[in-house]
Amino acid sequence: QNYLDNFWPDLKAAHELFDSILQTRRERESESQENSGKEYPEHLPVEILEAGIKSGRYIQGTLNVNKHRAQVEAFVRLQGFGSKETG
């Protein structure tokens, strides 16, 4: 900010770019603080998921993705079912 103010005070595009980058950085820092160190934000709170699993509305399983064809090939192995029963 000081560099732009001192050496390029009339370069409006650079100041706008700097402001945009600064705003994005602040938003990311705020999001990371809200997520408490989690890489991705949760879609639903844990309490709702647990209640949904107990009631049968949701199912719990493990997502397996083919590392060579990740865009087109994946399956979910359901917990509590045999190894051959997948969804």
Side-chain angles (χ1 to χ4, degrees), residues 3-72:
Y3 175 79
L4 290 175
D5 290 340
N6 292 329
F7 295 100
W8 302 98
D10 298 328
L11 191 58
K12 184 178 178 181
H15 285 274
E16 289 174 357
L17 178 61
F18 177 80
D19 291 339
S20 174
I21 292 170
L22 186 61
Q23 180 180 356
T24 302
R25 183 176 167 204
R26 287 180 180 154
E27 288 173 1
R28 286 189 180 172
E29 287 174 356
S30 142
E31 287 175 4
S32 68
Q33 289 173 355
E34 290 174 3
N35 293 337
S36 303
K38 296 178 184 173
E39 187 173 351
Y40 299 102
E42 296 176 356
H43 293 282
L44 294 172
V46 174
E47 299 82 22
I48 292 176
L49 290 175
E50 289 174 346
I53 291 170
K54 285 183 180 180
S55 71
R57 180 174 183 183
Y58 301 125
I59 56 173
Q60 186 172 2
T62 304
L63 176 65
N64 295 290
V65 180
N66 183 328
K67 67 179 178 181
H68 302 290
R69 299 180 52 180
Q71 296 293 324
V72 296

